[in-house]
Amino acid sequence: MMFLSDKRFRGYLLHSIGMCGRLTFERFALITATVYDASVDEVEPTISRSRAEAALAAPFPGPDELVLYPDPVEQAAICGAAIVHRRPLLHSNKRVAYECMGEMLVPYQWPLPDEAEAEVAEKLGRLGERKMGDDEFVEWVRA
């Protein structure tokens, strides 16, 4: 399993979509396409747009872009958790969530947890099974 946080993909992704903390649906579709090793045109119809947009907006609720979570690490973790919980994809929600978190943290030069793929998969699995709370997940991303 290859994560987009690998340097060879990161440069392409940043060049293709620019840097910004909040992810758009289009960026989510591009990340998903890269994880699936497919084109955006192929994956976009398989994405539940309403679930994806709700997950991407989770750290930024409220009118006029009210910021409830000013910490970018918390924003990324909440977005990742929302993707895992809302399941906008038929499969690979956890992998895409992890890559989305990494993408959100790039402008802040904050690395994702430096753990082996199996450990990352285990943490995301626990989150998906609700065996890890969102607060604990935020702290894991922050560590």
Side-chain angles (χ1 to χ4, degrees), residues 34-101:
T34 305
V35 168
Y36 284 9
D37 194 24
S39 72
V40 173
D41 291 337
E42 291 173 303
V43 300
E44 194 169 342
T46 69
I47 300 171
S48 170
R49 188 178 187 114
S50 61
R51 288 181 183 190
E53 288 180 341
L56 297 173
F60 309 98
D64 301 321
E65 302 298 319
L66 174 68
V67 178
L68 295 179
Y69 309 103
D71 176 17
V73 175
E74 191 172 14
Q75 290 172 357
I78 289 169
C79 182
I83 292 167
V84 170
H85 296 314
R86 289 190 171 101
R87 297 184 178 106
L89 308 168
L90 298 174
H91 59 85
S92 301
N93 287 288
K94 292 176 224 141
R95 285 182 60 202
V96 171
Y98 186 79
E99 299 307 332
C100 287
M101 290 187 316

Side-chain angles (χ1 to χ4, degrees), residues 6-54:
D6 292 342
K7 290 178 181 160
R8 64 184 184 161
F9 292 114
R10 177 66 64 200
Y12 166 75
L13 200 58
L14 291 177
H15 180 273
S16 298
I17 59 181
M19 294 191 332
C20 175
R22 184 173 182 165
L23 296 179
T24 63
F25 177 79
E26 290 75 19
R27 290 174 73 188
F28 178 81
L30 180 59
I31 291 168
T32 302
T34 305
V35 168
Y36 284 9
D37 194 24
S39 72
V40 173
D41 291 337
E42 291 173 303
V43 300
E44 194 169 342
T46 69
I47 300 171
S48 170
R49 188 178 187 114
S50 61
R51 288 181 183 190
E53 288 180 341

Side-chain angles (χ1 to χ4, degrees), residues 103-116:
E103 184 63 23
M104 290 176 73
L105 292 173
V106 167
Y108 307 101
Q109 298 180 347
W110 190 277
L112 287 170
D114 186 25
E115 296 185 15

